[in-house]
Amino acid sequence: MTTPTPDQTPRPRRDRWFQTEDLVDSLGKRSARGGVYTLGFIAFNFVVTTVSTILITRQLTDEDFGLYGMVIVLTGFANLFADLGLSRAVVQRPAVTHQQVSTLFWINLGICFGLAVLVAAATPLVVAFYDEPRLAPINVAMAGLFVVNGLGRQHRALLERRMEFGRVNLVMSCNAPIGAALGVVVAYLGGGYWALVAIPAGTAVVGALGMWLACDWLPGPPRRRVGVRDMLAFGGHVTGFQLINYFARNADNTMLGYAWGAAPLGLYTRAYSLMMLPITRINAPLSGVIIPALSRLNGEPDRYRMAFRQAVALTAGFSAPLVMLLAALAPELIPVLFGESWAIMTPIFLALTPATLMACTNAATSWLYLSHGHVRQQTRVVVVSTFFALVSMAVGVQWDAIGLAIAISAFRVAAKLPIFAFACRPTPVGVRDFLAAIAFPYTASVLAAAAAGVSGGYIHASDPVVVTCKTLVFLGLYIALLFATPWGRRHFDGIRRFKSRLRPDKAQ
């Protein structure tokens, strides 16, 4: 019997999850296919989230949302340590092994268990800080979700590393509606704020189970000295950035809840979450496609720059029009969807519009840092920006929720370009590339929103009719600018050619 040579020895089935050499030649095809899957998931998830948000908001009070928002400040903070950036390290590194990922899996799970215990133990402090005993059971319930979420983190990282976006989005397309449906059922049964707890609970359970089914890799026992120290260092810098950034993004909730109570906080968190709905449902899924693709292009600066530029154009082209359309429709849309009692949320919603428009492309800076491994620089810039963000919030919160919203918008508009300029060093991308990518979608969206807003003043009809007419005006002008102007056609053509920019250069 002939002994197989080393090259002929069959590899274990699990090893296919750690190989990426075969992805180079099909990078464009896989990225394009992943983009299609992701866009389909975004559309589906957006519909599910929008419908469930409307149904739940109509059944709950601003106080219910305020109570949940108070707990989320702590659990969201603790969640920053659940992953330690190790999933991103697995995606970004050129090579990983079964032993390394197995070790990271058990590290993640151990950390998640410890966080669950710490968050549950901190319940008396949360209750005392807000002087609100109803927060105790909510906090304990949310603590238990850390362990569930920790079970599927490395499985998802391996799927993204292999650019198996169809499988990832299939799982996400299952857990999102199940979590939303569970929340709606609890709300209509009179569960109050427990409906908001039910959504992440259902999503976590289905998501963890789905990732194990989609990726048949089974973790082995943890090992020492398998080369995870560098990955831990990378993840540590990612976590440091997320930690500081979390304070900047959630200090507003803490300040407002402490100074003004649950009801104003409930109005603010509802307005903020609704305004950010297009961003959260677009940026995160697209980042899962774009970061692995850019990481594979690190050695080809021209292709990297063009792929980055067109990815930004794609993101802005989807999110900016949605944000500005929501702003144009807000005076009539909010009472129609959520009831007249929520109409007082409209000024807060509109005050947050500039901040949300800037957030449409916030993910682009993370793409640069993570795909190049420049996580140390990312931490430095967020330290500086957080200081100024906190100052602006402390000033704005003196005037209730509306003052806080205005202060946040002013800061984000002023800080947008300086933060991105710092992220460009040293990368093939420049500020001009960024401005060229966002120029059309931002400008066309603002013009279309202005036209829709003006047209509403000439329509004397019921709110649903006004919403329909303003939507038609917005879409009509935006589409006309997209296809009837050279500027718009260049933007559309750049997005259309995104796939070709990712294809390997045959001359090389």
Side-chain angles (χ1 to χ4, degrees), residues 14 18 97-107 109 154-155 158 212 216-224 226:
R14 71 189 183 199
F18 307 99
T97 66
H98 168 70
Q99 291 80 10
Q100 288 174 332
V101 181
S102 295
T103 302
L104 296 181
F105 172 85
W106 293 109
I107 290 174
L109 197 58
Q154 292 304 319
H155 290 75
L158 289 174
W212 276 69
D216 59 1
W217 170 75
L218 295 177
R223 301 285 181 86
R224 299 180 62 183
V226 293

Side-chain angles (χ1 to χ4, degrees), residues 28-41:
K29 181 179 179 180
R30 285 178 173 269
S31 298
R33 187 170 60 228
V36 172
Y37 292 144
T38 301
L39 293 178
F41 164 71

Side-chain angles (χ1 to χ4, degrees), residues 334-384:
I334 290 176
V336 168
L337 294 181
F338 308 121
E340 291 294 336
S341 62
W342 287 93
I344 57 176
M345 182 175 69
T346 303
I348 304 172
F349 192 87
L350 294 176
L352 286 170
T353 300
T356 312
L357 189 61
M358 296 300 103
C360 288
T361 51
N362 276 355
T365 57
S366 293
W367 300 343
L368 291 173
Y369 288 126
L370 294 175
S371 63
H372 282 90
H374 298 162
V375 287
R376 189 187 299 271
Q377 294 91 318
Q378 188 179 27
T379 305
R380 291 173 182 169
V381 72
V382 78
V383 169
V384 178

Side-chain angles (χ1 to χ4, degrees), residues 143-477:
L145 298 183
F146 283 100
V147 178
V148 180
N149 281 316
L151 290 170
R153 292 182 185 275
Q154 292 304 319
H155 290 75
R156 177 168 182 170
L158 289 174
L159 288 168
E160 291 184 351
R161 176 181 173 80
R162 285 285 308 167
M163 304 186 77
E164 296 284 354
F165 302 117
R167 299 190 185 196
V168 173
N169 287 315
L170 178 61
V171 174
M172 302 301 290
S173 296
C174 292
N175 70 354
I178 291 176
L182 184 60
V184 170
V185 170
V186 174
Y188 275 80
L189 290 176
Y193 49 74
W194 285 110
L196 302 175
V197 178
I199 296 174
T203 301
V205 172
V206 177
L209 178 61
M211 290 302 170
W212 276 69
L213 293 175
C215 175
D216 59 1
W217 170 75
L218 295 177
R223 301 285 181 86
R224 299 180 62 183
R225 292 186 290 273
V226 293
V228 299
R229 181 172 297 180
D230 290 343
M231 301 172 77
L232 290 171
F234 179 94
H237 285 296
V238 173
T239 303
F241 159 76
Q242 293 175 338
L243 174 63
I244 302 168
N245 193 44
Y246 179 82
F247 277 117
R249 288 186 293 106
N250 289 274
D252 51 353
N253 290 350
T254 305
M255 292 180 184
L256 189 61
Y258 181 80
W260 297 92
L265 177 60
L267 288 172
Y268 177 82
T269 55
R270 263 305 73 191
Y272 190 90
S273 62
L274 290 172
M275 201 68 200
M276 290 293 291
L277 185 61
I279 311 303
T280 56
R281 299 306 169 187
I282 291 175
N283 280 3
L286 282 180
S287 293
V289 176
I290 293 168
I291 291 175
L294 292 178
S295 297
R296 308 284 89 82
L297 293 176
N298 264 334
E300 303 179 60
D302 290 338
R303 287 177 61 205
Y304 183 101
R305 183 175 66 84
M306 293 306 300
F308 177 88
R309 179 169 168 171
Q310 289 162 3
V312 172
L314 176 67
T315 305
F318 276 101
S319 55
L322 286 173
V323 167
M324 295 311 301
L325 177 60
L326 286 176
L329 301 179
E332 297 83 20
L333 187 63
I334 290 176
V336 168
L337 294 181
F338 308 121
E340 291 294 336
S341 62
W342 287 93
I344 57 176
M345 182 175 69
T346 303
I348 304 172
F349 192 87
L350 294 176
L352 286 170
T353 300
T356 312
L357 189 61
M358 296 300 103
C360 288
T361 51
N362 276 355
T365 57
S366 293
W367 300 343
L368 291 173
Y369 288 126
L370 294 175
S371 63
H372 282 90
H374 298 162
V375 287
R376 189 187 299 271
Q377 294 91 318
Q378 188 179 27
T379 305
R380 291 173 182 169
V381 72
V382 78
V383 169
V384 178
S385 64
T386 297
F387 171 78
F388 291 103
L390 293 176
V391 171
S392 66
M393 291 178 195
V395 173
V397 77
Q398 306 301 319
W399 287 272
D400 204 346
I402 185 68
L404 182 61
I406 293 173
I408 290 174
S409 287
F411 167 76
R412 291 192 178 175
V413 171
K416 182 67 177 180
L417 287 183
I419 289 175
F420 184 81
F422 189 88
C424 291
R425 305 182 307 170
T427 72
V429 177
V431 174
R432 287 186 179 181
D433 296 310
F434 177 73
L435 292 176
I438 69 170
F440 175 80
Y442 274 41
T443 304
S445 297
V446 171
L447 292 175
V454 171
S455 69
Y458 295 95
I459 303 172
H460 303 288
S462 62
D463 283 349
V465 174
V466 175
V467 167
T468 302
C469 293
K470 290 171 74 172
T471 301
L472 293 175
V473 170
F474 182 96
L475 295 177
L477 181 55

